[in-house]
Amino acid sequence: MSQPFSPQQQQLGRLPDNRNRVQVASFEQYLEAQRAVDYLSDHKFPVERTAIVGEGLKIVEQVTGRLDWNRALTLGMSQGAVTGVFIGLIFGFLGFGGRNFLALLLDGLLLGVIIGAVWSLLAYALSGGRRDFTSVGGMRADHYNVLVDPEVAEQARELLAQMR
């Protein structure tokens, strides 16, 4: 019988063995599987005895645009600005240097823009043109199965049959 996460498994990041669990539903989208488990939870089902398992995993990388010197500069400056403002906020809230809040925020912004620009242009130059594009990536599954322990499988099926 599969056990829910023990404290040791949670600490070590290990997942329980799902080989003995029973499939009670399958969905094309993760959000649908999540909605099913939420429905079970809302109806007092012991969801700690449940797993959502994606099958047919794929790594998908969507190319979002061409990367050139101007784009590298723009991306570096914008990322640096966000980081700089964040650091300026932290220093401002902590009252570093006896300076006023706005001055620390602006200093952080300026320093972040400069460092972000230099860092981004350096990284682009060192890439040697091997990756002249930007992209976003992630993992997707063909479908998502909701698995439960065998002892509660019938209860889960009955509840999910009532879900709209």
Side-chain angles (χ1 to χ4, degrees):
M1 168 173 62
S2 241
Q3 297 296 316
F5 288 100
S6 69
Q8 293 82 14
Q9 287 171 323
Q10 289 175 0
Q11 262 185 340
L12 298 174
R14 289 191 222 141
L15 296 173
D17 182 4
N18 286 315
R19 288 180 288 189
N20 295 327
R21 288 190 165 161
V22 177
Q23 179 180 325
V24 293
S26 185
F27 302 94
E28 288 186 25
Q29 301 293 321
Y30 174 77
L31 289 176
E32 294 171 319
Q34 186 180 20
R35 183 175 160 260
V37 173
D38 186 52
Y39 182 85
L40 292 173
S41 178
D42 291 346
H43 289 83
K44 308 302 181 219
F45 182 83
V47 290
E48 64 277 1
R49 300 181 76 176
T50 306
I52 299 174
V53 178
E55 291 188 355
L57 293 179
K58 299 175 194 156
I59 295 175
V60 179
E61 182 175 13
Q62 176 61 50
V63 176
T64 58
R66 184 175 311 282
L67 187 62
D68 57 16
W69 288 101
N70 286 335
R71 180 101 165 119
L73 178 64
T74 304
L75 289 172
M77 289 173 68
S78 62
Q79 291 171 349
V82 170
T83 304
V85 166
F86 179 70
I87 291 171
L89 282 171
I90 291 172
F91 283 178
F93 285 129
L94 296 177
F96 276 91
R99 300 190 55 206
N100 74 29
F101 184 80
L102 185 58
L104 285 170
L105 194 63
L106 291 175
D107 287 348
L109 173 67
L110 181 62
L111 192 58
V113 166
I114 293 168
I115 292 172
V118 170
W119 189 260
S120 181
L121 290 175
L122 182 64
Y124 182 69
L126 292 175
S127 76
R130 286 186 301 273
R131 188 176 164 94
D132 286 344
F133 62 91
T134 57
S135 64
V136 292
M139 236 188 269
R140 287 212 182 105
D142 289 332
H143 59 278
Y144 300 87
N145 297 327
V146 176
L147 307 179
V148 299
D149 290 341
E151 301 82 16
V152 294
E154 193 54 40
Q155 179 188 3
R157 282 191 192 98
E158 288 172 7
L159 284 169
L160 291 174
Q162 299 167 17
M163 187 175 84
R164 295 188 201 278

